[in-house]
Amino acid sequence: SFIISSGDVRRGIWGGKMEQEIEVIHSWSAPRSLSTSLMYSFAQRDDIEVLDEPLYANFLRVTGVERPYREELLSTMESDGNKVVREVIFGPGGKKYRYCKHIAKQRVTGLTDDLMKKGKHFILIRNPIDILPSFDKVVPPSFNELGLAGLASIYSELCESGKAPPVIDAAELQEDPEASLRGLCEDLGIPFQAAMLKWDAGPKSVDGIWAPWWYKSVHNSTGFTPAKKYPSPFPSSLYDLLDQSLPFYNMLKRHARKTSDIGRSPVPCPNLPVPANEKLLAWVGDEILPRDSAKVSVFDSVVQGGDSVWEGLRIYKGKIFKLEEHLDRLFDSAKALAFNNVPTREEVKEAIFKTLIINGMFDSAHIRLSLTRGKKVTSGMSPAFNLYGCTLIVLAEWKPPVYDNTRGIILVTATTRRNSPNNLDSKIHHNNLLNNILAKIEGNNAKADDAIMLDKDGYVSETNATNIFLVKKGRVVTPHADYCLPGITRATVMELVENEKIILEERRVSLSEFHTADEVSFSYTNMFDEHVWTTGTMGELSPVIQIDGRIIGEGRVGPVTQRLQHAYKMLTDESGVFMFGNSRKGTGEWKQWPEEEISWK
């Protein structure tokens, strides 16, 4: 490879080679990120010239930072940054490509826009937990010296210009050098060369004059080496700096090309049921965060023991349906579990309203509202460790009803029995859902939509996710809520049944009663049919057409279900809490806010 030394940067000459137009490849990284190893790798190619931090002298001149080699560097290397960009970085050369290793913090104010507009750019990242322990061998570590914020800024600027740069993680480079280099070359539009995998040990002519201070370990290398299996203890004095820097690394890491995407079986990125939810904002604790940043502490009780309560809320035309009832149950559940430092009702409402409004969710949306016991001071079961107060989570999503309410769904009966109040009372709407999840697994394995759960005596309790009803001989029947949650949607439907002058029975119901389909006569139709349906905030009023292989009625949505579905829709149109505090309960109207305030999805 034809290599340009730091002296060449000073003199601006190429050793007498025939000069030609050259394509520049810019590498941007933080210090101690394997950037020198990657520079050595590219220097092995037969079509590339290499520059080691050509903007370093300009950085020292502009910032005034101290380095043990500062005076020597400023006296021997061109310090006019724009002159370097014009004559050195983009000057003519003797090879097809020129590789420029840049440290992100060296991109200081005053540099010409050509630096970012011209050439091909890529970002090299490394976890600051691996960088910081060795950083102070030359200079004391600091947020500015590490420069990850600047690296994130470079990435964002390139993306805004329409040239999203490839991102490569040093960990992937160490794990599988060939696959990572092949992928990087593919992204840069240049052919991979096997020579990039090895180089000779010792100093190189490409090295800057700072090499004796920074490059000792890489001079001992002859290629990329795997990371140590176990890291060294992390200095506690660097904890705050790690905490400040890690978010920038994590942001860039989300865009990094994985080795598995290149040389191994691909790991597909799953498709979201509703693509618009990819860029939602969620409330966690006391702030609103982007989807991928919306996380709770590993010390939170919901992680430590599923110690949390929750509600499901649905949004119709600017209104939250049955909000007050759901909040009543949330606070009752929190009280039953002896939560302390619970947010007020108004605080919870404000978090709900703000989350919906900032997402522009005014219809066809669903909220998973969770209240955990909060973060612990140390891991353990005891609520005595919960000294920070509760954690409130408002997860709003674009979500139509999860079941097919026009065609009907299929159920099977699970062998997993519903929890008894002797063990864990289902009237506490808690997050410890393993009982339900095990039943849902049985339903999934049977290719059914959901699974019926029986109580300890073999009577039907509910499904793994919803309450359940049947129609038999003109009567609507639903199980007692002894083992199941007395759902708010369940109570709403029971009220609608009575309003429709249909006889309602709440009693023990055997499984065979759900299996059998007697003909029933409904006053408003000549059809004869027995029907079963389930209720829940996620699915509203969902008809069941088959249970355990038995066809229910005529295998389609029955007239009673249709009648109650219509009544339910009318109710959601007429009632609910406006998130803007402009309730018009009973009018069937809602305020049409200006287009700039509402984004309909």
Side-chain angles (χ1 to χ4, degrees):
S1 175
F2 178 54
I3 297 177
I4 303 171
S5 69
S6 59
D8 295 324
V9 176
R10 180 184 72 246
R11 297 186 299 273
I13 61 174
W14 323 116
K17 293 284 185 179
M18 183 178 294
E19 297 179 356
Q20 62 184 34
E21 287 191 13
I22 199 164
E23 188 168 9
V24 177
I25 296 172
H26 302 274
S27 164
W28 296 96
S29 68
R32 318 298 287 176
S33 299
L34 301 188
S35 57
T36 304
S37 294
L38 192 56
M39 179 181 70
Y40 288 173
S41 171
F42 273 85
Q44 308 312 303
R45 297 176 62 98
D46 59 15
D47 57 358
I48 279 186
E49 303 169 355
V50 175
L51 284 176
D52 188 10
E53 301 181 37
L55 295 169
Y56 205 159
N58 179 71
F59 167 73
L60 294 183
R61 177 184 65 82
V62 172
T63 63
V65 300
E66 290 296 328
R67 292 290 187 268
Y69 42 81
R70 174 186 169 88
E71 296 307 319
E72 181 184 0
L73 191 152
L74 288 173
S75 65
T76 59
M77 191 173 179
E78 178 60 65
S79 62
D80 183 334
N82 287 328
K83 185 176 181 180
V84 171
V85 173
R86 183 176 62 254
E87 298 181 5
V88 180
I89 294 176
F90 293 118
K95 293 289 183 177
K96 184 175 182 180
Y97 304 105
R98 177 174 294 138
Y99 181 96
C100 295
K101 170 194 163 191
H102 301 296
I103 302 300
K105 65 189 174 191
Q106 294 173 6
R107 182 178 172 250
V108 294
T109 56
L111 289 172
T112 173
D113 292 342
D114 284 348
L115 178 63
M116 305 307 294
K117 289 181 177 179
K118 297 169 64 176
K120 299 178 177 181
H121 299 258
F122 75 90
I123 308 286
L124 173 65
I125 60 172
R126 192 181 189 190
N127 194 323
I129 203 168
D130 298 320
I131 297 175
L132 289 171
S134 65
F135 199 91
D136 61 356
K137 293 180 180 179
V138 182
V139 295
S142 70
F143 184 77
N144 289 331
E145 287 287 1
L146 192 58
L148 279 172
L151 197 59
S153 178
I154 288 170
Y155 175 83
S156 297
E157 182 177 329
L158 289 168
C159 288
E160 290 171 3
S161 70
K163 299 192 299 182
V167 179
I168 182 172
D169 195 321
E172 296 283 334
L173 198 55
Q174 289 178 296
E175 181 183 352
D176 194 336
E178 181 173 348
S180 296
L181 290 170
R182 283 185 181 276
L184 178 58
C185 288
E186 179 183 326
D187 288 336
L188 294 172
I190 64 175
F192 169 75
Q193 292 186 7
M196 299 173 70
L197 295 171
K198 294 291 181 182
W199 53 84
D200 295 333
K204 312 290 187 295
S205 59
V206 69
D207 292 343
I209 64 172
W210 50 88
W213 285 267
W214 291 96
Y215 294 177
K216 290 180 181 179
S217 60
V218 73
H219 283 165
N220 294 325
S221 70
T222 58
F224 296 101
T225 56
K228 293 188 298 183
K229 184 176 181 180
Y230 299 108
S232 301
F234 188 80
S236 59
S237 60
L238 298 175
Y239 184 88
D240 288 344
L241 183 54
L242 176 66
D243 190 45
Q244 296 166 18
S245 303
L246 204 53
F248 296 98
Y249 166 76
N250 288 333
M251 184 278 281
L252 291 166
K253 185 180 179 182
R254 288 199 294 269
H255 303 283
R257 184 169 185 174
K258 300 291 190 295
T259 300
S260 57
D261 297 336
I262 305 163
R264 303 176 185 171
S265 299
V267 179
C269 183
N271 294 322
L272 300 183
V274 180
N277 287 328
E278 183 179 0
K279 295 184 179 180
L280 60 78
L281 298 164
W283 182 287
V284 181
D286 58 0
E287 59 183 336
I288 292 176
L289 298 166
R291 178 185 178 118
D292 288 340
S293 301
K295 301 171 183 177
V296 297
S297 168
V298 294
F299 286 96
D300 197 285
S301 287
V302 72
V303 178
Q304 295 275 323
D307 191 1
S308 175
V309 296
W310 70 282
E311 290 295 321
L313 304 169
R314 191 158 276 287
I315 318 305
Y316 302 96
K317 298 181 179 180
K319 299 172 294 184
I320 305 173
F321 188 60
K322 298 287 183 178
L323 173 62
E324 301 298 345
E325 292 86 343
H326 281 287
L327 291 182
D328 286 343
R329 188 169 64 185
L330 182 81
F331 286 105
D332 284 348
S333 296
K335 184 175 183 180
L337 292 177
F339 281 14
N340 291 318
N341 299 313
V342 177
T344 67
R345 193 180 190 94
E346 285 307 309
E347 287 171 338
V348 174
K349 282 185 178 181
E350 283 300 303
I352 292 171
F353 297 157
K354 288 177 180 178
T355 304
L356 289 170
I357 293 167
I358 201 168
N359 281 290
M361 294 180 177
F362 302 98
D363 196 22
S364 301
H366 180 272
I367 290 176
R368 176 81 172 212
L369 177 68
S370 300
L371 184 68
T372 83
R373 196 182 295 271
K375 192 169 64 172
K376 294 177 178 289
V377 294
T378 186
S379 61
M381 183 188 302
S382 175
F385 296 145
N386 291 85
L387 302 179
Y388 295 95
C390 294
T391 302
L392 178 66
I393 302 169
V394 185
L395 174 58
E397 295 179 90
W398 301 108
K399 185 171 289 189
V402 298
Y403 304 116
D404 187 342
N405 291 345
T406 58
R407 190 183 63 181
I409 62 173
I410 296 173
L411 301 179
V412 294
T413 302
T415 60
T416 303
R417 297 299 176 101
R418 193 68 180 96
N419 280 335
S420 165
N422 286 327
N423 308 114
L424 184 59
D425 192 350
S426 297
K427 293 175 183 60
I428 302 173
H429 206 199
H430 54 79
N431 279 68
N432 204 318
L433 301 177
L434 284 178
N435 181 231
N436 309 70
I437 291 169
L438 288 171
K440 180 62 175 176
I441 290 171
E442 293 187 58
N444 289 346
N445 290 340
K447 309 299 183 186
D449 295 290
D450 263 335
I452 290 176
M453 301 184 72
L454 309 180
D455 64 24
K456 67 179 182 64
D457 295 321
Y459 291 97
V460 172
S461 176
E462 59 179 346
T463 77
N464 55 272
T466 62
N467 299 122
I468 191 167
F469 293 76
L470 65 82
V471 178
K472 190 178 181 75
K473 296 183 178 179
R475 299 169 183 260
V476 171
V477 183
T478 191
H480 282 301
D482 294 334
Y483 287 74
C484 69
L485 177 78
I488 291 168
T489 308
R490 172 183 182 269
T492 302
V493 170
M494 292 170 72
E495 184 178 343
L496 290 175
V497 169
E498 293 180 339
N499 291 344
E500 292 292 317
K501 308 302 181 184
I502 303 172
I503 296 174
L504 173 68
E505 294 182 8
E506 186 181 11
R507 59 176 174 79
R508 278 184 148 185
V509 188
S510 67
L511 182 59
S512 63
E513 291 182 80
F514 281 90
H515 285 161
T516 56
D518 295 337
E519 292 186 343
V520 292
S521 177
F522 297 102
S523 61
Y524 78 104
T525 178
N526 292 324
M527 295 182 61
F528 294 89
D529 167 284
E530 182 201 349
H531 201 75
V532 182
W533 69 83
T534 65
T535 61
T537 307
M538 293 290 284
E540 300 172 338
L541 190 62
S542 302
V544 178
I545 59 171
Q546 182 177 309
I547 300 176
D548 298 328
R550 282 86 161 178
I551 300 298
I552 304 301
E554 296 184 358
R556 55 190 175 87
V557 182
V560 173
T561 302
Q562 292 173 343
R563 182 176 165 187
L564 290 170
Q565 283 177 328
H566 176 73
Y568 190 92
K569 184 179 184 305
M570 293 292 292
L571 184 64
T572 61
D573 286 343
E574 295 171 358
S575 61
V577 176
F578 277 88
M579 62 189 77
F580 294 98
N582 184 30
S583 177
R584 299 182 181 178
K585 184 174 181 181
T587 67
E589 302 175 7
W590 73 289
K591 185 173 180 180
Q592 294 294 322
W593 292 82
E595 189 66 28
E596 62 270 18
E597 295 184 29
I598 296 178
S599 175
W600 286 97
K601 299 288 183 178

